[in-house]
């Protein structure tokens, strides 16, 4: 519900974007470059601070489609991935230049800087605290400037919720609801310093005792530093906390590590929303559940979601049609580009994270065989699934019971 707060002024703009993360900044820069008047609101005092992210993402090539690469926000290149099964089997895959580990604060600041340089009005310290509603249509937001304590109306032809997993734009507009507890990865991470860290290889640890309903990660940063974290399904950890599991993991694998910082947060683990739009309003990035529900990763998806959203928003603002019916093109564009894959990952999440440790060990053995036979071939998920089922036919029954 929109709170009753005295307002002091009214501004008009073409689009107001709520959230200065990757999704919001890319929509802002794309629309501003087309000549539209754009205001981007970020409630925090500084873009990208604090970081709530493992900071591992796609390749330099993929990122450079959205912003020119700047070495100041790349901390490490990823050239291999190591999966460590509960029984200790290590499956290693050489994946040259598959991704990078970012300095996420600097990266988000660079994206917001790109938006500002393109002509967008980027306002930090400014929170959307309610929606402005016209007849059956969202017409902007009520914005509060935390520096002055003043609240004002921002009237916009279209309102874009890029406000992340905790965002309210989708809920106020009636597009999203509270996520069920089982649909959230509850994540915690330490920035550690240690001598025994991998260099250009990410490590993923699976197992019920390590991270029930999720996995643990080691993402190397600059020499001697790494993000070490884990995500769990909060309904599977009984009276423990995610921190209990992380403390145990760090104690076991990096007993001499120095912990410099702690990050905690959640990511959504669900299939795509039925719709991400309403009359005069559209959601993008994690606010629209666009992240990968299996891994929790959402940086590249936010950029790609923003790209699709911007195409439809450009047409909507050009033609003056911001109706739900027009904006729905974005739903189908997203589904065709990434959404169908997200649906599959959501099903896989339900299956994989409920397997017993010995079943995960069996799958790791299958993966090990495949990766030894085709060291430099891309990952073929269909082949993995077929071989896993042949090796452990019981998985089919487990899948049937868990998924349907
Ligand atoms: C612990 C953890 C580890 C992760 N690790 C990875 C990883 O390694 N790789 C990866 O790809 N993804 C990772 N993710 C997910 C990734 O961080 C998100 O998917 C990504 O940030 C989504 O980008 P976004 O722009 O949609 O939203 P966000 O980056 O969340 O940006 C939303 C912004 O909106 C602002 N905001 C919210 N409400 C308002 C309001 N009312 N008014 C104004 N501003 C508002 C917020 O302050 C925030 O800055 C991780 C997430 C967590 C929690």
């Amino acid at each position: 519900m929109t709170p009753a707060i005295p307002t002091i002024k009214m501004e008009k703009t073409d689009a107001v974007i709520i959230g200065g993360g990757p999704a919001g900044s890319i929509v802002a820069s794309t629309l501003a470059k087309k000549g539209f008047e754009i205001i981007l609101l970020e409630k925090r005092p500084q873009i990208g601070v604090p970081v709530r992210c493992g900071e591992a993402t796609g390749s330099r090539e993929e990122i450079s489609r959205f912003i020119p690469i700047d070495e100041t926000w790349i901390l490490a290149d990823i050239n291999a991935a190591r999966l460590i099964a509960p029984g200790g089997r290590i499956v290693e895959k050489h994946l040259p230049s598959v991704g990078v580990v970012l300095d996420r604060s600097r990266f988000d600041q660079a994206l917001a800087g790109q938006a500002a340089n393109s002509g967008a009005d980027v306002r930090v310290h400014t929170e959307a605290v309610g929606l402005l509603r016209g007849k059956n249509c969202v017409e902007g937001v009520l914005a509060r400037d935390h520096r002055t304590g003043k609240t004002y109306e921002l009237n916009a032809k279209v309102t874009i919720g890029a406000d992340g997993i905790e965002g309210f734009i989708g809920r106020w507009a009636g597009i999203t609801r509270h996520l069920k507890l089982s649909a959230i990865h509850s994540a915690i991470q330490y920035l550690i310093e240690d001598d025994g860290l991998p260099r250009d290889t990410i490590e993923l640890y699976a197992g019920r005792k390590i991270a029930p309903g999720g996995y643990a990660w080691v993402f190397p940063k600059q020499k001697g530093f790494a993000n070490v974290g884990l995500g769990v399904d909060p309904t599977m950890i009984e009276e423990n906390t995610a921190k209990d599991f992380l403390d145990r993991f760090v104690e076991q694998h990096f007993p001499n590590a120095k912990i410099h910082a702690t990050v905690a947060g959640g990511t959504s683990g669900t299939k795509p929303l039925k719709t991400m739009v309403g009359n005069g309003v559209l959601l993008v990035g994690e606010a629209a559940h666009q992240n990968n529900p299996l891994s929790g990763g959402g940086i590249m998806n936010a950029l790609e979601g923003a790209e699709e959203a911007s195409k439809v928003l450009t047409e909507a603002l050009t033609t003056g049609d911001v109706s739900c019916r027009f904006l729905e093109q974005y739903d189908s564009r997203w589904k065709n580009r990434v959404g169908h894959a997200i649906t599959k990952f959501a099903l896989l999440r339900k299956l994989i994270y409920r397997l017993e440790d010995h079943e995960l060990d069996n799958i790791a053995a299958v993966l090990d065989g495949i990766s030894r036979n085709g060291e430099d071939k891309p990952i073929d998920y269909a082949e993995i699934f077929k071989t896993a089922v042949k090796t452990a036919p019981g998985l089919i029954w487990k899948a049937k019971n868990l998924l349907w």
Side-chain angles (χ1 to χ4, degrees):
M1 272 224 325
T2 304
I5 300 165
T7 54
I8 55 155
K9 62 174 180 176
M10 207 250 259
E11 274 183 73
K12 279 183 188 263
T13 185
D14 287 326
V16 59
I17 299 165
I18 297 89
S25 287
I26 288 295
V27 175
S29 55
T30 312
L31 296 183
K33 272 184 211 153
K34 306 262 181 208
F36 297 112
E37 206 176 300
I38 305 301
I39 297 177
L40 184 146
L41 307 182
E42 170 53 55
K43 66 180 177 183
R44 297 173 181 171
Q46 212 185 339
I47 298 277
V49 181
V51 173
R52 283 201 289 184
C53 187
E55 302 174 292
T57 192
S59 66
R60 286 166 179 263
E61 198 185 337
E62 287 166 314
I63 297 169
S64 64
R65 289 188 36 247
F66 299 93
I67 186 166
I69 297 289
D70 180 341
E71 295 302 327
T72 61
W73 41 254
I74 296 203
L75 296 178
D77 284 288
I78 305 169
N79 292 311
R82 213 172 272 147
L83 176 71
I84 296 96
R89 182 189 286 270
I90 298 173
V91 184
E92 186 154 345
K93 182 94 183 145
H94 184 53
L95 300 162
S97 308
V98 71
V100 296
V101 180
L102 294 168
D103 177 328
R104 183 69 201 273
S105 289
R106 286 192 174 165
F107 179 66
D108 282 17
Q109 284 158 13
L111 290 172
Q114 177 175 259
N117 291 337
S118 307
D121 178 352
V122 178
R123 300 181 185 178
V124 292
H125 279 291
T126 309
E127 181 170 2
V129 291
L131 287 184
L132 302 180
R133 292 169 197 278
K135 240 194 208 165
N136 198 23
C137 187
V138 172
E139 291 187 345
V141 294
L142 207 54
R144 185 180 297 148
D145 183 333
H146 287 298
R147 276 166 302 195
T148 61
K150 296 204 168 127
T151 302
Y152 55 96
E153 289 184 358
L154 253 175
N155 190 278
K157 291 175 189 155
V158 66
T159 299
I160 295 129
D163 45 348
I165 187 170
E166 290 154 13
F168 277 94
I169 299 297
R171 285 179 239 175
W172 288 333
I175 302 173
T176 52
R177 296 192 191 152
H178 280 287
L179 280 170
K180 279 196 291 186
L181 208 54
S182 61
I184 297 173
H185 291 274
S186 173
I188 179 159
Q189 173 182 282
Y190 294 148
L191 168 62
I192 68 161
E193 185 179 355
D194 192 83
D195 291 336
L197 292 168
R199 278 309 296 275
D200 63 348
T201 302
I202 58 165
E203 292 185 339
L204 307 172
Y205 290 74
R208 287 243 178 156
K209 291 193 193 77
I210 293 168
Y215 66 97
W217 63 80
V218 179
F219 294 158
K221 303 178 83 168
Q222 63 273 47
K223 191 171 182 298
F225 288 84
N227 288 331
V228 177
L230 52 79
V232 294
D233 176 338
T235 63
M236 291 174 71
I237 57 173
E238 295 169 358
E239 71 282 3
N240 298 292
T241 63
K243 184 176 181 303
D244 296 333
F245 286 95
L246 183 57
D247 286 338
R248 232 172 284 155
F249 180 78
V250 171
E251 180 57 38
Q252 190 184 346
H253 295 276
F254 307 102
N256 301 317
K258 196 166 164 197
I259 297 172
H260 288 279
T262 307
V263 163
T267 62
S268 69
T270 60
K271 47 188 188 174
L273 292 173
K274 281 205 179 83
T275 182
M276 303 179 286
V277 302
N279 287 322
V281 60
L282 175 151
L283 305 179
V284 64
E286 188 123 14
H289 304 180
Q290 288 179 338
N291 60 306
N292 181 322
L294 185 65
S295 68
I299 302 170
M300 281 315 301
N301 288 19
L303 299 178
E304 291 182 20
E307 187 173 45
E308 290 305 330
S310 302
K311 286 179 194 158
V312 175
L313 287 165
T314 301
E315 265 188 79
L317 287 169
T318 307
T319 59
D321 186 353
V322 295
S323 67
C324 182
R325 185 175 284 194
F326 187 86
L327 296 177
E328 271 168 3
Q329 294 173 56
Y330 164 54
D331 287 333
S332 41
R333 293 184 82 114
W334 173 252
K335 269 176 203 142
N336 290 335
R337 180 162 172 178
V338 183
H340 290 309
I342 288 186
T343 305
K344 288 183 195 147
F345 282 124
L347 290 173
L348 265 180
R349 173 181 188 252
K350 274 197 191 172
L351 172 64
I352 288 184
Y353 293 148
R354 274 163 179 72
L355 294 179
E356 301 297 335
D357 281 0
H358 71 272
E359 293 169 315
L360 287 169
D361 283 331
N362 285 345
I363 292 182
V366 171
L367 286 173
D368 202 10
I370 290 174
S371 95
R372 277 170 208 276
N373 289 336
E375 184 60 22
D376 286 324
K377 276 199 286 177
I379 298 169
D380 180 344
Y381 291 101
E383 188 192 350
I384 292 171
F385 187 71
K386 269 191 258 159
T387 320
V389 166
K390 259 193 251 158
T391 318
L395 282 179
I396 281 280
W397 294 107
K398 186 127 191 174
K400 189 170 172 287
N401 292 334
L402 286 169
L403 302 180
W404 294 284

